[in-house]
Amino acid sequence: MHVVTIASMTPDTEAAVSVDASGNVQWGDKLVVNPWDEYAITEAVLLKEAHSGQVTVMAVGAEAQAEALKHGLAIGCDQAIRVWDPALVGADSLAYARAAAAAIRKLGDADLVIFGKEMSDSASDQHVFQTARKLGWTMIGFVAKIEAIDFAARTIRVRRMTDQGSEVVSGRLPAVISVLKDINEPKYPTFIGIRKAAKAEIPVWSLADLGLSAAAVAPRTAISGHRELPRREGSAEIIEGASAQEQAAKLVARLLEEKIL
Amino acid sequence: MSATIFVWIEQHDGQPVSASWEALGVARSLAAGGAVTALVFGDGAQTGAVAQAAFERGADAVIQAGDASLARYRFEPYVALLAALVQQRTPDVVLAAATVAGRELLAGAAADLDAPLLADVTELALDGGVLRAVRPVLGGNVLRAEVVVGDGPQFAALRPRAFPVPEPQAGRSGEVIAVAPALAPDAIPTQIERVETSGGQVSLTDASIVVAGGRGAGGAEGFAPLRALADVLGAALGASRAAVDAGWIAYEHQVGQTGKVVSPDLYIAVGISGAIQHQAGMRTAKVIVAINKDPDAPIFKLARFGIVGDLFEVVPALTEAFRQRLA
Ligand SMILES: Cc1cc2nc3c(=O)[nH]c(=O)nc-3n(C[C@H](O)[C@H](O)[C@H](O)COP(=O)(O)OP(=O)(O)OC[C@H]3O[C@@H](n4cnc5c(N)ncnc54)[C@H](O)[C@@H]3O)c2cc1C
Ligand SMILES: Nc1ncnc2c1ncn2[C@@H]1O[C@H](COP(=O)(O)O)[C@@H](O)[C@H]1O
C-alpha cells in the first residue's frame, strides 16, 4: 500500500486578522498545520500501522509549507515531498489541484490520497475534488470513518457525512478522500520523530519535474482584495428580570416586537 | 448584457433543497433577461415535481435527467453529466448552492472543463460578462473579493442562506428537455450501500433557527432542555466543539471552524463562551441570543440579546414562554 496525504500550513485561528489600506490581509505571522490535515496525516499513518506499506506526505507551496511536512514525518510518514515553482505564485485551487495530481501520478504506485476537509483559512473545499478529477480516480468526500479497505482487492468502504445525515459508500481504488474530525484522534509527534524530521531532506519538485508547463497552471480566478467584516454593533441588550420566567417572557416579547420570529 | 445561466437544483427523495431556490433567484437577476435553465437530476419519479417547482421559482427551462443511476447524488455520475451538459450547451454561468453535494459537484465539473469556480460566495455579480464574488475567509473574520480570469463558462457555489429565496409564482412553466446520464452504471466507481438520514431533524445548514449548546450543558442529559426548546421553535440543534468532544452530542451538530457554518435568522447560544473558532461558524446569523451565567463571556459581544443566568432555569422558562406566545 502507498497512501499519500496532502498537508498545508494555515494562519493560526487565534491570530488577530486585519485588512490594510490596499486590501491585503495581515495576521500575526504564526502558521499552524491546517487543523483538518492533522486528521488526514494521522489517518494515513494509522493505515500504515494496520496494513504496512508506505506513506508520503506532500504539500504544494512555498518554503513555509515545509513545516507541515516535518509534522507529517514526525508522526510517522515515511517521506515528504514539496511541490513548488515560481510559476505557482497566485495559483488558484484548480492550479494547485493540477500540480498535486501530477505529483501523485509521478509517485507511480499510490492507492489512496487523503486530504483534510478544507483549508481552514480559505475553506474553499474545491481542490480535493479537483485533484480527484485530474487524476481520474474515485472521489469520496467528507469521510467520517474508513470502515474497510482492501489494498489487494482494490476496494474501500467508508461512512461519509452529508447534509441529510450519513451514507455508507463503497468504491474502487485508487481513490481520493477528504476526512472530517470524526475520523480519529490526531497523533502528536514523539521526541524521536521530531529529531528524525528535523534531519530529513525534503525534495522539491518543480513543474518541469512534473512535466507541466507554466501555462498548465495559469489561474482561472484571482483575488481582487479583502475587506473587514462590518462590525456587529456594541454589546448585547441584557434582559433583566426578577425570575427566569420574567426574563424569558421579556425576551420572547422583544423577539416578536422586532419581528425576529 | 444578458446571460444564459444553468442552476443545479439539488433534491433528496424528491425534496428540493431551499438553498437551490436562492441560487435560482440569483440566476434570475444575473441573467438580465437571458434564459435561466434549471438542471434536475434524479430517478424518473423524483424529477417531475421538482422541475415544476423550479419553473415556479423562476426557471425558463428545465434540463431533466431521470435515471436509476442518478437516484441519489453521487460524485462521478453527477459530475460527468454536468460537465457534459455545460460543454455541449455552453451557458455563460453555472450556479449551485454550496451544500456538501453542491460544492463537490461544481468543483468536479469545473475541473473537468478547466473552468473557473468561485466557491462559497455570499455576494455575486456579473460585471461585463465576468463573475465577481465576495466570500468570508480566515474563520469568517475577513471578506475576500474574487474575480474570474479568462473566458468560457464560469461556475459559482453560493453559501446557503446568504441570498433571498424567490417567492413561487403558481402556474409558470416552460420547456422540459430530457437528457440521458453521461455514465453507464458499470462505469460508476462507487455504490451507496446504506443511507442514514437524521430522521425528522432539521438540517443545520438550512435551518432558520438554531439552538446550540456548549460545555455549560454539563452533560448529554443537559441537552434535553435544549432539544425541547428546539422542538418548540422548529429549530435545528447545534453544539460547540467542547460539547462534541465531551461526547454529549454527535459531531454532525458541531458549529464552528471545524464544524458547520450556519447562517440562521436566529441563533440561540446556550452555555457557549463564544470562542473565535465557534464564531467562525455562526457569526453570519442575523440575530444572536446568548444565555450564559458569566456576564463577561465573549458571546455577549456578538449577541443582540442576552440573558445572564443559569441555563437550567432560563431554557425551560424560555421554552414555556415560546410555547404560550407561538401557540
Ligand atoms: C483548531 C481549532 C478548531 C476549533 N473548532 C471549533 C469549532 O468548530 N467549534 C467550536 O465550538 N469550537 C471550536 N474550537 C474550540 C474553541 O476554541 C472552544 O474551546 C470551544 O468553542 C469552547 O466551547 P464552549 O463555549 O462550549 O465551552 P467554554 O468555553 O468552556 O464555555 C462554556 C460556557 O458555558 C457557561 N456556562 C457554564 N455553566 C452554565 C450554566 N449552568 N448556565 C449558563 N451558562 C453556563 C460558562 O460561563 C462558559 O461561558 C476549536 C479550537 C481549535 C484550536
Ligand atoms: N498549497 C497547498 N499545498 C498542499 N495542500 C493544500 C494546499 N492548498 C490546499 N491544500 C489542501 O487541500 C485541502 C483543501 O483545500 P481547499 O480546497 O483550499 O479548502 C486541505 O487538505 C489543504 O491542506
Side-chain angles (χ1 to χ4, degrees), chain A residues 13 98 121-122 125 133-134 139 159-160 166 168 170 181-182 220 222 224-225 227 232 237 239 258, chain B residues 76 103-104 111-112 114 123 135 138 143 145 147 149 191 193 196 251 254 257 283 285 304 306:
Chain A
T13 53
R98 277 209 199 86
D121 54 350
S122 61
D125 248 5
R133 290 312 276 186
K134 290 302 175 196
M139 172 76 232
R159 178 186 193 77
R160 84 180 207 110
S166 66
V168 175
S170 59
K181 179 183 157 236
D182 263 5
R220 298 293 332 259
S224 54
R227 65 176 198 255
R232 280 186 182 267
E237 175 181 330
I239 312 282
E258 303 261 324
Chain B
E76 282 82 5
R103 286 167 176 238
E104 295 189 3
D112 283 8
D114 289 325
E123 295 171 33
R135 68 194 191 88
L138 290 154
L143 296 176
V147 59
V149 177
Q191 286 298 333
E193 297 189 353
E196 281 157 32
Y251 169 60
Q254 183 177 318
Q257 194 200 353
R283 61 186 308 155
R304 169 94 169 276

Side-chain angles (χ1 to χ4, degrees), chain B residues 40-290:
Chain B
V40 181
F41 306 162
D43 74 14
Q46 299 157 343
T47 45
V50 178
Q52 183 49 40
F55 287 124
E56 294 182 357
R57 300 284 179 165
D60 301 310
V62 171
I63 294 180
Q64 182 173 310
D67 189 84
S69 66
L70 302 171
R72 283 201 164 271
Y73 165 79
R74 275 186 292 173
F75 183 74
E76 282 82 5
Y78 273 57
V79 167
L81 179 54
L82 177 59
L85 290 170
V86 172
Q87 188 163 39
Q88 288 152 13
R89 293 162 194 260
T90 60
D92 298 311
V93 173
V94 182
L95 302 179
T99 55
V100 162
R103 286 167 176 238
E104 295 189 3
L105 173 59
L106 291 200
D112 283 8
L113 300 171
D114 289 325
L117 165 60
L118 301 172
D120 203 23
V121 311
T122 54
E123 295 171 33
L124 188 65
L126 191 58
D127 188 356
V130 171
L131 280 182
R132 293 180 170 279
V134 170
R135 68 194 191 88
V137 295
L138 290 154
N141 285 304
V142 168
L143 296 176
R144 172 177 289 172
E146 292 181 346
V147 59
V148 158
V149 177
D151 351 287
Q154 18 184 0
F155 290 66
L158 315 186
R159 182 181 281 203
R161 298 191 52 80
F163 301 90
V165 175
E167 288 299 323
Q169 292 168 267
R172 269 186 103 257
S173 74
E175 187 192 1
V176 177
I177 304 152
V179 296
L183 287 188
D186 61 4
I188 301 172
T190 57
Q191 286 298 333
I192 300 174
E193 297 189 353
R194 205 162 69 236
V195 177
E196 281 157 32
T197 49
S198 6
Q201 286 182 32
V202 185
S203 137
L204 263 178
T205 30
D206 287 347
S208 57
I209 306 180
V210 173
V211 174
R215 200 191 316 267
E221 58 303 333
F223 272 83
L226 297 177
R227 280 210 172 81
L229 177 58
D231 285 348
V232 166
L233 291 171
L237 195 61
S240 74
R241 173 163 169 179
V244 170
D245 284 355
W248 303 341
I249 184 164
Y251 169 60
E252 63 192 80
H253 295 277
Q254 183 177 318
V255 172
Q257 194 200 353
T258 43
K260 291 193 170 123
V261 174
V262 301
S263 314
D265 297 329
L266 176 61
Y267 188 89
I268 307 184
V270 184
I272 291 178
S273 62
I276 187 92
Q277 296 90 353
H278 187 76
Q279 291 188 18
M282 45 69 81
R283 61 186 308 155
T284 53
K286 290 203 183 67
V287 173
I288 295 164
V289 170

Side-chain angles (χ1 to χ4, degrees), chain A residues 86-212:
Chain A
L88 283 164
V89 172
D92 62 358
S93 291
L94 186 55
Y96 276 120
R98 277 209 199 86
I104 292 160
R105 205 175 282 120
K106 184 175 157 82
L107 290 173
D109 60 349
D111 304 290
L112 179 69
V113 178
I114 308 181
F115 279 91
K117 171 181 173 279
E118 65 192 18
M119 258 170 85
S120 73
D121 54 350
S122 61
S124 62
D125 248 5
Q126 25 180 306
H127 154 172
V128 184
F129 310 104
Q130 300 191 315
T131 303
R133 290 312 276 186
K134 290 302 175 196
L135 285 165
W137 293 5
T138 304
M139 172 76 232
I140 311 178
F142 306 96
V143 170
K145 187 174 182 357
I146 298 180
E147 299 209 322
I149 185 160
D150 186 333
F151 291 97
R154 324 263 335 124
T155 56
I156 183 171
R157 189 170 77 243
V158 305
R159 178 186 193 77
R160 84 180 207 110
M161 304 307 289
T162 64
D163 288 321
Q164 286 68 40
S166 66
E167 294 172 346
V168 175
V169 179
S170 59
R172 295 202 282 265
L173 295 180
V176 176
I177 64 172
S178 74
V179 299
L180 300 176
K181 179 183 157 236
D182 263 5
I183 197 155
N184 56 41
E185 273 300 319
K187 283 182 180 282
Y188 290 101
T190 58
F191 179 69
I192 297 174
I194 293 171
R195 290 233 334 237
K196 203 182 98 202
K199 278 189 268 166
E201 285 284 328
I202 298 178
V204 180
W205 289 356
S206 68
L207 290 181
D209 293 329
L210 300 178
L212 289 176

Side-chain angles (χ1 to χ4, degrees), chain A residues 24-93:
Chain A
N24 295 316
V25 189
Q26 309 292 328
W27 67 79
D29 41 32
K30 189 156 173 268
L31 293 173
V32 297
V33 176
N34 176 27
W36 296 99
D37 293 347
E38 297 195 24
Y39 302 101
I41 300 169
T42 298
E43 196 61 18
V45 172
L46 290 173
L47 284 172
K48 175 178 120 173
E49 288 168 2
H51 298 266
S52 81
Q54 198 189 3
V55 174
T56 298
V57 58
M58 204 179 259
V60 184
E63 184 73 51
Q65 298 296 329
E67 207 50 45
L69 298 176
K70 299 235 153 162
H71 180 81
L73 290 173
I75 57 181
C77 298
D78 302 294
Q79 67 167 342
I81 292 161
R82 185 161 66 87
V83 175
W84 189 241
D85 197 289
L88 283 164
V89 172
D92 62 358
S93 291

